Amino acid sequence: MPDVTPDSLSLDEKASLLTGRDFSTTNPVETAGVPSIVLVDGPHGVRPPDAAADHLGINASLPATCFPPAVAVGSSWDPDVAARVGAAVAHEARSYGIHVVLGPGVNIKRSPLCGRNFEYYSEDPLLSGVLATAHVQAMQSESVGASVKHFAANNQEHERMRISADVDERALREIYLPAFERVVTEAQPATVMCSYNRINGVPASENHWLLTEVLREEWGFDGLVVSDWGAVGDRVAALAAGLDLAMPADDGTGTVKIVEAVRSGELGEDVVDRSVARVLALSGLVADATNGLKDKEEEHHALARELAAECVVLLRNEGGALPLSPDARIAVIGEFAAAPRFQGGGSSHINTTRTTAAVDAIRALAADEGNAVSYARGYALDASADAQALLAEAASAARAADVAVVFAGLDERDESEGYDRETLDLPAAQVEVIRAVAAAAARTVVVLSNGGVVSLEGWHDEVDAIVEGWLLGQAGGGAIADVLFGAANPSGHLAETIPMRLQDNPSYLNFPGENGHVRYGEGVMVGYRHYNSVELPVRYPFGHGLSYTTFETREVTATLTGDDTATASVTVANTGSRAGKHVVQVYVATTAGPVRRPTRELRAFTKVALAPGESRTVELALDRRAFAYYDIVQGGWTVAGGDYRIQVGRNAVDIAAETSLTLAGDAIVRPLSLDSTVNDWFSHPVVGPELMGRLAQGMPEQSPEEAEENARMMRMVDSMPMRQFVGFIAHIVTTEHLEALIGLSHEG
Ligand code: BGC
C-alpha cells in the first residue's frame, strides 16, 4: 500500500472507510491505493464466504478445518494448545485471503445456560485470558489479525442485542474485564470487537468509558475497535465513544451521518482521522491469498485430533474401567458415536474438510488391539425411530459385551449462538438409554458431547466411567478413541464447575434478566468463587480432571520477590506407571482488606508433562494482581496488608499443599469528610491520634470501668457519620477543628 494518511483522503473517502462494504470486507479507496480488508469468523476455524454464505450458518461457507472450540481448549489448561489452534487457523485464513479472524471470544461463563458457552473458555478470568493470549500471539505471528470479542459483559444470548448487563465495577474489573485486559496488554490484538449489549445502560458500541478510557487510556490499546455485526445504533455517538469500524455494510446512512456531523461541527474531523488512521494501519495485514489449504488438509486434521485429545476431561473412572483392555468386547452405543456432535451453531459454524466419527475411530484402533466392536444406535436424535426398540437393542448389545460405551450429549438444536438453554438436563431418552445400558452391561462408560455443562444427576453413580468430551472439533471422534484405548492419557481439567443443580448457580435468580436488564447480583462470586465461598457441594469442581497415572504434589514454598509480589515453587511427581500431564493449579486465599473475598482464586497455573517416576519443581510467578482486589473508592487495584495463603489444588476444592505469606500491602488512606464515619476518623493514621488527643484533653480522668463503657459506646457510634457525631462532642471539638483536620487528611 502506498503511504496513505488521513490527510491525503477527502472527508467522504475517510467516512467510507469506517463502515463495511458488505458482510466481510471494508470499503477500499482504490484511487488512493487503500485496499479492502477481509474480516471473517472464527474463532476455531475459518468461514470463508462463498457467494451464498451468511453468518448464521444457514448457508455453507468454504471448507476449513474445525479445530477444538474454546470450551475444549479451556479444558486443556494449556496455552500451547491454544497457540497451535491460533497458528493453524491463521494459516488457513491466509490461504483464503482473510486478514482478520473474528475471535477468540473471552467472555466469562457466568451461567451454564448461556447458549454460546461453547465459544468461551472458562468461568475464570485468568484461565480465559492466558489461553486467549496464546491464541492471539500465535495467530498474529502468522500475520493474521485477531479480534478479541465480545467486549464486554456479553454473558448470555437472551436479548443479547439490547439487554443492559448491570454490573458493579468491582465485578467488571475482577471478573469480566481481566481476560480482555491480558490479551490487550500482552498480545496487542489487531482488533477488539465490541459487544451488542449495554453495560449499566450504555450500549457497548457507544461506551466511551469502556472503549476509550479503559481500553485505550488504561490498557494502552492502539489497534482498531470493530463493532459486533450490526451492534452500532448511533453511528456518530459510537465514533465519538471510540468505535472505529462499524460492520457489516449498512444502507449507506452511516457514512452520510459521519460526513454531516463533521460539516455541522457536531463531530471533530480529528475524531474521524484517528479512526481512519487505525483502518489504514490495519490494511498493513492485507496480503494475497496463499492457496495453501489443500497441502495442509491432512496435517491439520491430524493436528485437530492431537489437540482435541489434550482437552478431554476424565471425570470418573471407577475400578480402572478405562483405558479399555485390549481383549475386551466393546459395545458402542448412541447416535453421537456415528453422527458426531463437535461444534456449536451460529457464526462460528465451520464447513469442515472432513469429520471423524468415534465409532469408526474405535473400530480402527480395535483392529490393532484385537477388540470386537458392536454398534447400537440407542436413541434417535430426530425421534424418527421406535424408541423402545432402540433401547432394547442397546441393552442387548451391552449385555453381550464386556464394556459398553454410551455416547450422549446435546444436539445442535439444544444450544447455539442466539439463544440460551433452559435446563442442564440431558434429553430424557438418552438418560433412559444410559440407565438401561448400565443395568445390563458389566461395565459402562459414558462419553459426553456438549458445549455447555450438562447435569450428571440421576445416572452418575450407575456408570463406571465418564468422559467429558465437550465439543472437540472435526477430529474429536479420533481423540475420544485415543483416550478410550489409552493411546492418549487424559489431561484435561474442568474450566467450569459442574453443579449438582442449576439452582445452585450464583446467577440463577438473575438470569437471563427481565425488563431489559440483567442484574449481576452475585458480584465477583462467579462459578467456583461462589460454590466455595458458601460451601456448596458440587458434582465436580472447577479444575477437576483424572488421569490414567497418579500425581503427587510434594512441596510448596512461596518467596517474596518484591513489595507485594512472590514466586510459588511446587514439586510434582508422576507416581504411576504411564506418562502423563499434570496441571499445577495455584490459588490464593485471603480475608485481608475491607471487601469480601472469594474463598480462593486461581492465580497461576502450568501444565507439566512427566514420565513415570519423574518429578519436577516448577516456579510460578505471583504478581501484584494475584493478591489485589479492585477498590472502587480509590478507583484502582489495591493490595490489602495481611496474610495470604498460597494453595496448590488438585482442583478448586481439594487443596494438596499450601503455604502462607504476609504482605505489607498498600496504605489505604482515604481523605476524610464530614460524611466519613467515626471509625474512619479515629483510624486515620494522621488525624486519628490528633483527634484522640484533643478529646482526651477535654475529658475528665476515667476509671477502668468508665473507659470500658466508653469503648463500648464507641462501637455503637463507629459507623455514625462525623456530621452527626460532632453534636455529641461539640463541647470539646468544634466544626472549625474538624475542618482543619479534614485539610490535614487531604494533605496525606
Ligand atoms: C457474532 C460475532 C461474529 C459476527 C460476524 C455476530 O453475530 O456475535 O461473534 O463474529 O456475528 O459473523
Side-chain angles (χ1 to χ4, degrees), residues 211-393:
L211 302 184
T212 297
E213 290 161 51
V214 173
L215 179 64
R216 295 195 185 278
E217 293 167 9
E218 285 185 35
W219 300 347
F221 179 65
D222 63 2
L224 173 132
V225 177
V226 59
S227 71
D228 198 344
W229 267 227
V232 172
D234 183 330
R235 186 65 192 94
V236 174
L239 195 56
L243 183 129
D244 304 304
L245 174 64
M247 286 297 288
D250 62 14
D251 56 3
T253 50
T255 304
V256 172
K257 283 192 177 136
I258 292 173
V259 171
E260 279 172 0
V262 172
R263 296 222 165 103
S264 72
E266 182 195 342
L267 187 73
E269 192 160 351
D270 57 325
V271 178
V272 174
D273 287 354
R274 213 170 44 200
S275 290
V276 167
R278 292 177 190 139
V279 175
L280 295 176
L282 194 66
S283 313
L285 290 169
V286 172
D288 290 338
T290 58
N291 291 322
L293 176 60
K294 275 274 164 251
D295 318 338
K296 291 276 183 181
E297 212 181 290
E298 185 103 30
E299 184 187 323
H300 279 186
H301 188 70
L303 177 65
R305 178 171 180 159
E306 183 195 334
L307 297 179
E310 299 282 329
C311 306
V312 172
V313 186
L314 180 61
L315 293 175
R316 173 178 170 87
N317 195 16
E318 291 300 294
L322 290 176
L324 299 171
S325 48
D327 50 357
R329 288 164 303 158
I330 307 166
V332 175
I333 294 164
E335 193 169 342
F336 281 130
R341 170 91 206 290
F342 57 87
Q343 65 172 325
S347 60
S348 68
H349 199 273
I350 311 291
N351 176 13
T352 58
T353 55
R354 57 184 82 176
T355 59
T356 304
V359 67
D360 295 335
I362 289 171
R363 284 205 166 106
L365 287 183
D368 299 342
E369 303 280 348
N371 304 69
V373 178
S374 66
Y375 171 70
R377 191 172 171 199
Y379 51 86
L381 288 168
D382 60 4
S384 60
D386 176 350
Q388 286 313 310
L390 290 178
L391 195 65
E393 185 199 7

